[in-house]
Amino acid sequence: MRKIMFGIVLSMILILTACGEGSGTSSTDTKETEQASAAGTGQAAAEDGTTIDLLRIAGSDVGYPSPFTFSSSGPFGYLRNSFIFDTLTWKDDTGVIPWLAKSWDVSEDGLTYTFTLEENVKWHDGEAFTADDVVFSFDYYKTHPFNWNGDVSQIKSVEKIDDLTVAFHLNNKFAPFLSDLVGIVPIIPKHIWENVTNPVEFREDAALVGTGPYKLKQYDSASGQYLYEANENFFKGKVKVKEIAYVSVSNKLLALQNGEIDQTYTFNYADVETAQQAGFSMIKSEPAGSVVRITFNMEHSQLGDKRLRQAIAYALNREEISSKLTGAEPMVGNAGVVPTDSPWYNKDVKQYPYDTTKAEQLLDELGYKKNANGVRDGLKLSLMTSSSMQEAEMMKEMLKKVGIELNLVQVDGAAFADAMGENKYDMALTGHIGASGDPDFLRLWFSGQAANTLAARGKELALGDFHKLAEQQMQEDNENKRHEIINQMQDILADELPTLVLYHRPFYDLHNAKVFDGWKNTSGGIADGMPLWENKAFLVDVEK
């Protein structure tokens, strides 16, 4: 894809589309107001199927959006890719829905899923989509891994029955198969990729030929801006938004107020209040789906003892951290990791309320005595961050109160990912999303298979029966029994504390409802639990 002077093109778009607008009406928990300080664009896309010409969303560079080259340091690369490439199933606000597959059957033993594919689906270059593309895609990913989650190792084989029927034979039962495997991994065209031996280096226009509702019209990696145009022949229905521009802005809230963008997100509730007072609409992610957490190096000579990890948990006033940094009702992190507003949350799991007396007791038992300066001799720990996270400074002051000297180390994203992968850190502070979907994410996170480059990857943590339980829940198709297993996994995580969730972080969508008001929460989060709103299902009049 050739590089285009996107900034100039986008500037022209902004000039041509700028005009005055009135106040928006929220679809969820908003304040009606007559104030309207933003300048916006175009014709609103309503439930009656009308279309708009352009939707501008705050964004940044998340890589070239082929299935092998987008950035895996966060969810936005996956979302850009999903506009172009489709999966067999997808999710909307009701849960898993048919997508490239219009229906499916499951064998009695749960080991074979047979999909009937949609008819008359075309690739962006006009070639017909068939079962051959599905078989090819999953075979290709075994050699050239997809750049996100989607555990293809669960698949024994993929069989073409006829041009519009394909059967997946699994190695074992896999409970989240429909949502977290065929609902995540995109289908790629065989006629293009069968001759590509190095997909990471493949950057020709053909690399972005999909079946999705959008094509990439322009991309400028230097400015981090994208322009997508609607696929007028999209098989699921009419695409309501004709062009989507991802615009790089320094201040998202100010850009929204100034009419430079039409939609953004925040996790700061003060921003929500400001935006609502200016007439913008808000949607809160439910469940929260995002966690800010400490990862402990379990091989560290001192942190390898869970009593030290537990002492740190008691020493941190996580309710204060959550309240001060989000400005909203605090959501103290579950020691069992699963968000407290998730249907998979174990309400009886062990927790660590703020208790400096308990923290000091554990530290004394471990033999770390305070010197004359109130500092515990022989206990100086480092906390690594990939940005200047305010949580780190608050943690330093809180741990100082119980005599722990904390050294803050800030590194860039690449160095952070390397250190995590090589276990060259004491503690690391990071944020993750993807906790609002299927709880199989627990298996992936703690077996070193997380897609996010800011998570420790490639290493299975020593957690007793946790990994045996993780395999059991994965294969359990009885939901009540699966809940019991997930509860046990949370109990182990809460006791061992390989990670400590400081707080669960709600995201808030802010948008100009006069431009587009079709945003909704995706049930269980987009794909593997992304609590975001850029779901292509809401940009299309889907023909059920």
Side-chain angles (χ1 to χ4, degrees):
M1 179 70 67
R2 63 186 182 277
K3 197 173 192 179
I4 298 176
M5 296 178 66
F6 186 62
I8 296 175
V9 175
L10 185 60
S11 296
M12 294 176 65
I13 290 173
L14 295 177
I15 292 170
L16 290 171
T17 58
C19 64
E21 72 176 15
S23 62
T25 302
S26 171
S27 58
T28 305
D29 188 29
T30 62
K31 300 175 182 177
E32 293 186 0
T33 175
E34 293 182 355
Q35 298 175 339
S37 60
T41 81
Q43 170 186 7
E47 293 299 322
D48 62 2
T50 57
T51 62
I52 67 168
D53 293 329
L54 176 67
L55 179 63
R56 300 159 303 168
I57 303 173
S60 60
D61 184 47
V62 288
Y64 188 72
S66 97
F68 306 94
T69 54
F70 64 79
S71 170
S72 59
S73 63
F76 299 103
Y78 178 89
L79 290 174
R80 303 283 199 283
N81 173 264
S82 72
F83 282 6
I84 299 171
F85 294 90
D86 287 318
T87 50
L88 292 178
T89 66
W90 194 242
K91 291 181 191 173
D92 64 6
D93 54 321
T94 66
V96 174
I97 58 173
W99 206 252
L100 279 172
K102 65 180 180 181
S103 63
W104 53 85
D105 295 304
V106 187
S107 62
E108 287 189 13
D109 61 8
L111 296 178
T112 299
Y113 286 74
T114 303
F115 293 90
T116 301
L117 305 178
E118 287 279 3
E119 302 174 5
N120 302 316
V121 178
K122 300 291 185 182
W123 295 99
H124 292 157
D125 62 3
E127 293 288 325
F129 159 78
T130 72
D132 290 322
D133 297 304
V134 179
V135 175
F136 169 80
S137 296
F138 283 90
D139 286 343
Y140 194 81
Y141 289 129
K142 288 183 177 179
T143 304
H144 307 287
F146 175 51
N147 211 24
W148 197 245
N149 291 326
D151 191 355
V152 297
S153 69
Q154 301 298 326
I155 300 170
K156 179 187 293 184
S157 63
V158 185
E159 175 191 6
K160 174 184 176 181
I161 306 300
D162 57 43
D163 279 350
L164 292 175
T165 312
V166 63
F168 283 73
H169 305 288
L170 307 185
N171 294 312
N172 43 251
K173 290 183 181 179
F174 186 54
F177 177 75
L178 290 173
S179 61
D180 283 27
L181 211 172
V182 296
I184 290 177
V185 179
I187 307 303
I188 56 177
K190 177 181 179 180
H191 67 279
I192 290 175
W193 292 93
E194 62 184 341
N195 296 316
V196 178
T197 57
N198 189 352
V200 175
E201 298 297 325
F202 186 47
R203 303 291 179 98
E204 297 177 16
D205 288 359
L208 300 184
V209 170
T211 57
Y214 288 94
K215 305 175 185 179
L216 186 64
K217 185 176 182 180
Q218 298 169 359
Y219 166 54
D220 182 3
S221 60
S223 65
Q225 301 189 117
Y226 301 72
L227 183 63
Y228 288 85
E229 62 179 349
N231 173 11
E232 298 297 340
N233 299 311
F234 186 52
F235 69 97
K236 291 295 286 186
K238 183 175 72 173
V239 182
K240 294 187 285 190
V241 180
K242 296 308 177 185
E243 288 190 327
I244 297 177
Y246 283 96
V247 184
S248 179
V249 294
S250 57
N251 185 314
K252 294 185 290 186
L253 181 60
L254 185 61
L256 182 67
Q257 292 175 305
N258 290 340
E260 298 168 22
I261 56 174
D262 307 307
Q263 189 259 2
T264 187
Y265 78 96
T266 183
F267 43 77
N268 189 321
Y269 195 72
D271 289 347
V272 173
E273 293 177 316
T274 299
Q276 287 184 319
Q277 289 169 5
F280 294 100
S281 298
M282 180 274 279
I283 307 174
K284 178 183 177 182
S285 62
E286 294 177 345
S290 173
V291 300
V292 176
R293 66 184 180 117
I294 307 166
T295 297
F296 296 105
N297 183 348
M298 301 280 278
E299 297 180 354
H300 187 274
S301 59
Q302 295 169 310
L303 289 166
D305 191 320
K306 69 180 180 182
R307 291 175 296 172
L308 178 54
R309 304 193 294 271
Q310 291 174 348
I312 290 171
Y314 282 119
L316 296 175
N317 189 338
R318 293 178 289 145
E319 182 174 344
E320 180 182 334
I321 293 173
S322 173
S323 179
K324 284 188 175 180
L325 296 185
T326 67
E329 188 73 21
M331 290 184 67
V332 175
N334 171 22
V337 180
V338 174
T340 54
D341 61 352
S342 166
W344 294 96
Y345 170 59
N346 176 5
K347 63 181 178 59
D348 297 319
V349 73
K350 178 181 180 179
Q351 300 295 356
Y352 296 84
Y354 180 50
D355 188 338
T356 55
T357 300
K358 184 66 174 176
E360 300 247 29
Q361 178 186 335
L362 286 169
L363 292 169
D364 288 341
E365 289 177 6
L366 287 164
Y368 299 116
K369 303 302 182 181
K370 285 185 177 180
N371 60 28
N373 296 319
V375 177
R376 294 185 182 271
D377 289 325
L379 187 59
K380 183 175 182 179
L381 300 173
S382 293
L383 178 68
M384 180 177 67
T385 71
S386 60
S387 61
S388 55
M389 299 177 75
Q390 292 176 276
E391 294 89 345
E393 292 290 346
M394 296 181 72
M395 285 175 58
K396 182 174 183 175
E397 292 304 311
M398 290 174 183
L399 293 179
K400 185 178 181 180
K401 292 178 181 178
V402 298
I404 298 177
E405 188 176 355
L406 188 65
N407 180 41
L408 305 184
V409 180
Q410 184 178 335
V411 298
D412 63 29
F416 188 99
D418 289 344
M420 293 288 280
E422 299 170 8
N423 263 27
K424 293 181 178 178
Y425 68 99
D426 297 351
M427 301 186 294
L429 179 61
T430 187
H432 288 277
I433 73 167
S436 61
D438 190 277
D440 192 53
F441 79 87
L442 296 174
R443 177 181 66 90
L444 297 174
W445 280 21
F446 298 105
S447 63
Q449 298 180 60
N452 195 317
T453 56
L454 300 184
R457 296 196 293 174
K459 182 177 288 293
E460 182 174 281
L461 299 182
L463 293 172
D465 289 338
F466 177 86
H467 299 295
K468 181 175 71 175
L469 292 167
E471 292 296 314
Q472 289 176 3
Q473 65 79 27
M474 178 185 75
Q475 299 180 40
E476 181 55 68
D477 54 11
N478 181 296
E479 187 167 320
N480 290 332
K481 291 181 180 179
R482 193 167 180 234
H483 266 279
E484 293 175 4
I485 300 171
I486 297 297
N487 284 348
Q488 293 178 62
M489 291 169 65
Q490 291 178 69
D491 287 335
I492 292 174
L493 292 174
D495 183 57
E496 293 290 340
L497 278 189
T499 190
L500 175 66
V501 179
L502 296 179
Y503 59 96
H504 300 285
R505 179 173 57 182
F507 281 16
Y508 304 93
D509 164 87
L510 302 174
H511 66 275
N512 182 345
K514 287 293 185 180
V515 175
F516 182 76
D517 199 26
W519 304 117
K520 304 174 185 178
N521 276 317
T522 298
S523 178
I526 299 172
D528 52 346
M530 301 175 188
L532 298 167
W533 297 273
E534 292 156 56
N535 186 335
K536 60 189 174 186
F538 304 144
L539 301 171
V540 178
D541 279 328
V542 176
E543 298 170 359
K544 300 289 186 181

